[in-house]
Amino acid sequence: MRIITTIAEMHAQIETWKNADQTIGLCPTMGYLHEGHASLMDYSNEDNDYTVASVFVNPIQFGPNEDLSKYPRDFERDCKILEAHGVDVVFHPEPEEMYFPDFCTYADVDVVSDTLCGATRENHFRGVCTVIAKFLNVVQPDKIYFGKKDAQQLAVVRRMVRDLNFDVDVVGCPTVREEDGLAMSSRNVYLSPEERKAARILSRTLRLGQDMIREGCSDSKELLDAMKTNLATEPMADIDYVEVVDGISMQPIETFGKGDVVAMAVRIGATRLIDNFTVGDMAIEIPEV
Ligand code: PAF
C-alpha cells in the first residue's frame, strides 16, 4: 500500500492507472477508522481495479466551537486497517497541501444543506462539498463511497455531483452497527461507559419508528411524537433534532413513503450522535437489547 501526501504524486499515480484503462474507487475518510469505514473499502474493492482511501481531517468543515483539534487521530492504526482491506493508495495530505493560505473558493449546496445538521452546523456542508470536489479533481475516481449513516452528507454530495456535472457514481453504503445497535462512528470514543450505555436509546428509538411504519404509520407528527417520547425516557439524551425528510431534498414532510428519511441528532453528554433509516430500506437490523 502506497501512502501519498502530495497532489502532484497523486496525479502521477492516477495518470498511470487511467492510461492502463483501470477503474478507481475513492473512499474519503477523516481517519480513526472503524468497521463502517472498512466496509466502504470492501465495496470499492469489489467494484474497481484500484481503491484509494483519503485520510484527511478537513479543517473547513469544522465550526469555531467544534472539535477540530480534539478530533481523534491514529494514522498508524488507520494504515493497518486500510492495508488489511486491500487499499492500494492512502491519500494523506497536510492541510497546507489542500488549502492555499489565501484559499477562497467553495462548493456550496443550498436547500439540501439547510436542514437537519446543516441548520446548526454553519458552513459544515460547504466544507464537506469543497473537500469532496477537490478529491474528485485530484483522484478522478469512477465511483466514490459514503456511509448512509451520514444521510444528509450523502444527499448533499449527490446533489453537488449532479449540479456540477462531476463524472462519478456516488455509492451509498449501509450503516454498520455495534452488536447493541449503536451506529459505528469515530465519535463513539468520546463516550464514557455510562454514556455508551445511554447511547443505545438512538437505535432503540429508530427501531420503534421502523415498527410503527411496518404497522402502517405514514404521518410524520405521529411518528416523531412517539420517537421523541421514547428518547425522553433516557435522562442523558438531549435531542438536537428528530425529523422526517424527503430523501432527496432533505426537506421536512408531513406524510412520508418509500425513500424518505427518518433522521436524528442526539447529544449524549458532550457527544453529538446522528443516526437514521430510509423508509422502505428497513433491512437494517437494530437488535432488541
Ligand atoms: O464523513 C466524513 O468523514 C467527512 O465528512 C468526509 C466525507 C471524509 C469529508 O471530509
Side-chain angles (χ1 to χ4, degrees):
M1 185 176 78
R2 231 185 123 188
I3 298 169
I4 293 184
T5 57
T6 67
I7 291 168
E9 269 179 287
M10 202 66 230
H11 275 153
Q13 174 65 82
I14 297 301
E15 201 184 340
T16 315
W17 287 339
K18 295 262 172 198
N19 287 343
D21 271 339
Q22 302 292 285
T23 58
I24 303 165
L26 172 62
C27 306
T29 83
M30 296 207 298
Y32 216 74
L33 305 177
H34 50 68
E35 282 174 44
H37 294 112
S39 74
L40 305 184
M41 324 298 160
D42 295 343
Y43 287 114
S44 173
N45 276 329
E46 269 175 39
D47 295 347
N48 304 283
D49 296 313
Y50 290 104
T51 292
V52 176
S54 58
V55 175
F56 178 63
V57 182
N58 176 33
I60 69 165
Q61 71 186 71
F62 288 78
N65 303 319
E66 292 180 353
D67 50 4
L68 171 63
S69 64
K70 289 204 216 108
Y71 197 83
R73 294 159 214 241
D74 190 342
F75 186 59
E76 229 172 90
R77 182 177 154 276
D78 289 344
C79 283
K80 286 189 187 130
I81 295 172
L82 294 171
E83 191 144 37
H85 286 269
V87 166
D88 299 286
V89 165
V90 186
F91 183 46
H92 183 50
E94 290 295 327
E96 298 72 35
E97 179 69 9
M98 292 296 285
Y99 299 111
F100 290 100
D102 57 351
F103 181 90
C104 57
T105 305
Y106 298 91
D108 202 357
V109 174
D110 280 347
V111 183
V112 193
S113 295
D114 293 343
T115 55
L116 306 180
C117 294
T120 49
R121 300 188 69 190
E122 208 189 333
N123 289 331
H124 169 68
F125 288 115
R126 182 179 85 155
V128 171
C129 284
T130 303
V131 83
I132 295 300
K134 287 169 72 70
F135 286 150
L136 290 174
N137 285 331
V138 173
V139 179
Q140 300 163 54
D142 297 273
K143 293 181 195 270
I144 184 165
Y145 295 80
F146 292 92
K148 287 187 184 170
K149 195 202 77 165
D150 296 289
Q152 189 176 19
Q153 171 168 277
L154 180 59
V156 167
V157 170
R158 280 194 199 284
R159 184 61 64 95
M160 175 186 76
V161 161
R162 188 202 74 175
D163 287 353
L164 297 183
N165 309 100
F166 282 103
D167 189 13
V168 67
D169 282 347
V170 179
V171 184
C173 304
T175 301
V176 179
R177 296 178 182 279
E178 304 284 358
E179 256 175 39
D180 65 0
L182 180 67
M184 289 197 184
S185 163
S186 305
R187 289 192 160 92
N188 292 352
V189 294
Y190 297 139
L191 299 167
S192 68
E194 204 188 342
E195 290 169 345
R196 172 65 188 77
K197 217 167 152 198
R200 295 191 306 197
I201 194 66
L202 277 86
S203 56
R204 282 181 175 169
T205 303
L206 287 183
R207 189 191 162 96
L208 169 82
Q210 290 190 339
D211 288 347
M212 287 179 70
I213 294 170
R214 281 196 194 98
E215 281 156 25
C217 175
S218 62
D219 179 77
S220 302
K221 186 172 175 332
E222 190 190 332
L223 185 81
L224 296 176
D225 284 351
M227 289 177 70
K228 284 177 191 166
T229 303
N230 198 60
L231 284 167
T233 62
E234 172 48 66
M236 297 183 92
D238 182 13
I239 301 175
D240 183 349
Y241 65 74
V242 190
E243 292 277 5
V244 187
V245 293
D246 176 276
I248 306 230
S249 68
M250 295 286 118
Q251 300 306 298
I253 44 180
E254 284 177 14
T255 55
F256 57 85
K258 203 166 183 274
D260 296 326
V261 173
V262 180
M264 60 169 70
V266 176
R267 263 175 224 287
I268 304 286
T271 308
R272 185 175 176 279
L273 300 174
I274 58 170
D275 205 346
N276 70 81
F277 67 86
T278 300
V279 179
D281 178 19
M282 304 207 298
I284 318 161
E285 269 312 308
I286 299 172
E288 198 159 12
V289 280

